[in-house]
Amino acid sequence: MPDPMTLYLAAPRGFCAGVDRAIRIVEMALEKWGAPVYVRHEIVHNRFVVDGLRAKGAIFVEELSECPPDRPVVFSAHGVPKAVPAEAEAREMLFVDATCPLVSKVHREAEKHHASGLQMVMIGHAGHPEVIGTMGQIPDGGVILVETVADVAHIAPRDPERLAFITQTTLSVDDTAEVVEALRARFPAIVGPRREDICDATTNRQEAVTAMAPQVDALLVIGAPNSSNSKRLVEVGARAGCSYSQLIQRATDIDWRALQGARAVGITAGASAPEVLVEEVVAAFRARYAVEIREVETAREKVTFQVPRVLREQVA
Ligand code: SF4
């Protein structure tokens, strides 16, 4: 008789509306224009998703210069600097922007602050494509990047009285609140959103992990090592008391020895990880344990985002 195991499944988990839209955009572009369709950067940070689209005829590249001018190109959900669509236009390329509308909202905020003469502090992770895209909405020098509370003490804005802050959408809610507090303490005149720009999908997934953490011996987060929101879920789990909080890409990554003795394991998935990978992980547990499933639901998501009109009109 196999040992008992209770699996707590976070809800919500996995695909968010922005990821779902970005994948649909590539699929509809392939349907409409045929293969190949070029995609600048991984459309979302998940190898399983990327491999699936590649099999259908998508070609993933890092730079626009790698795309021929006569094939369509899709920009990833993370957003791109303004220079990228400008270059595509200059080369008369057909392009579709799959930037998540919630990232685009931050782009518009950045433009608004810049137009008002404010310098910006962006809270985010250096090198992440979303940060590069958001900082690239305005000319160089308009945004100072901070990653941690400690960074706040070292920045030297042009005018401390003329500052605004914006954030990456997929940060840890708690860590970001601390950075915002440090910014407000050092620069009382700083303007910004009421809390931050972290999207609801990110917040909801973190809340579900926080709620399940006290009930589990270990937490597994299904997601990619370059997925910001997935890595934050691992940190949120550890912060909420999970002594074993681990990122895995597939069921084959599960370290069964580390789970020895565990009787309750929490499972969640980052916003770019498909549900089929959750099912795969659950099946791997069923192969070893007598599994009981409990769902920990802290929110229901009903949001969906439309694809750009160029695709709605022609793939009916
Ligand atoms: S995590 Fe949030 S910002 Fe990122 S794609 Fe999903 S909904 Fe959009």
Side-chain angles (χ1 to χ4, degrees):
M1 180 73 183
D3 289 334
M5 172 65 80
T6 306
L7 293 182
Y8 288 85
L9 301 187
R13 62 177 176 271
F15 277 6
C16 60
V19 162
D20 178 68
R21 171 180 181 268
I23 295 168
R24 273 188 290 133
I25 286 174
V26 178
E27 288 173 343
M28 291 171 83
L30 282 163
E31 200 179 314
K32 177 178 169 191
W33 292 303
V37 164
Y38 283 73
V39 183
R40 186 188 176 280
H41 194 67
E42 289 186 344
I43 186 73
V44 301
H45 285 156
N46 189 277
R47 198 197 301 161
F48 185 88
V49 171
V50 168
D51 286 348
L53 292 171
R54 193 179 281 127
K56 292 179 184 171
I59 295 178
F60 292 87
V61 296
E62 282 308 311
E63 296 301 335
L64 207 53
S65 55
E66 299 169 61
C67 307
D70 58 346
R71 291 307 305 164
V73 57
V74 177
F75 303 149
S76 81
H78 313 95
V80 289
K82 270 212 161 102
V84 174
E87 183 190 337
E89 267 164 24
R91 289 177 62 196
E92 298 183 353
M93 297 171 79
L94 178 56
F95 63 91
V96 186
D97 189 353
T99 302
C100 174
L102 300 183
V103 173
S104 299
K105 192 171 139 240
V106 183
H107 290 181
R108 300 294 78 77
E109 262 181 78
E111 283 180 321
K112 193 186 79 192
H113 291 316
H114 180 67
S116 320
L118 300 178
Q119 192 177 18
M120 263 157 288
V121 179
M122 178 166 194
I123 307 170
H125 295 290
H128 189 279
E130 181 186 330
V131 170
I132 295 169
T134 300
M135 291 179 74
Q137 297 306 302
I138 55 176
D140 282 353
V143 184
I144 303 167
L145 183 66
V146 298
E147 298 192 72
T148 62
V149 169
D151 291 345
V152 174
H154 302 297
I155 58 173
R158 281 192 307 259
D159 178 353
E161 299 297 315
R162 305 280 298 146
L163 272 181
F165 76 87
I166 53 175
T167 80
Q168 195 177 334
T169 57
T170 50
L171 299 176
S172 150
V173 173
D174 292 338
D175 292 347
T176 307
E178 288 171 11
V179 182
V180 169
E181 203 181 306
L183 280 171
R184 290 199 196 279
R186 187 169 170 215
F187 307 107
I190 197 166
V191 299
R194 198 166 46 83
R195 289 188 320 163
E196 14 51 15
D197 300 305
I198 297 171
C199 73
D200 285 348
T202 296
T203 307
N204 292 343
R205 279 153 191 70
Q206 291 178 13
E207 283 178 357
V209 163
T210 304
M212 70 158 52
Q215 304 168 67
V216 301
D217 304 313
L219 174 73
L220 298 178
V221 177
I222 303 166
N226 58 344
S227 160
S228 171
N229 80 89
S230 304
K231 288 193 291 187
R232 302 295 82 78
L233 289 173
V234 174
E235 293 166 4
V236 166
R239 194 177 186 142
C242 276
S243 53
Y244 185 79
S245 182
Q246 187 65 38
L247 187 71
I248 57 169
Q249 298 206 63
R250 302 286 300 253
T252 46
D253 296 336
I254 300 171
D255 180 352
W256 297 105
R257 262 193 294 177
L259 296 179
Q260 248 171 22
R263 287 292 165 264
V265 172
I267 296 174
T268 188
S272 41
E275 183 64 11
V276 64
L277 298 181
V278 176
E279 289 163 7
E280 180 187 277
V281 167
V282 171
F285 273 91
R286 285 195 194 283
R288 289 169 174 79
Y289 297 96
V291 167
E292 184 194 342
I293 301 276
R294 291 193 195 159
E295 197 156 68
V296 180
E297 185 180 83
T298 51
R300 283 194 184 173
E301 293 177 344
K302 298 196 180 84
V303 186
T304 54
F305 295 132
Q306 275 195 334
V307 299
R309 187 180 300 157
V310 64
L311 292 171
R312 288 203 309 273
E313 279 170 353
Q314 302 194 24
V315 186

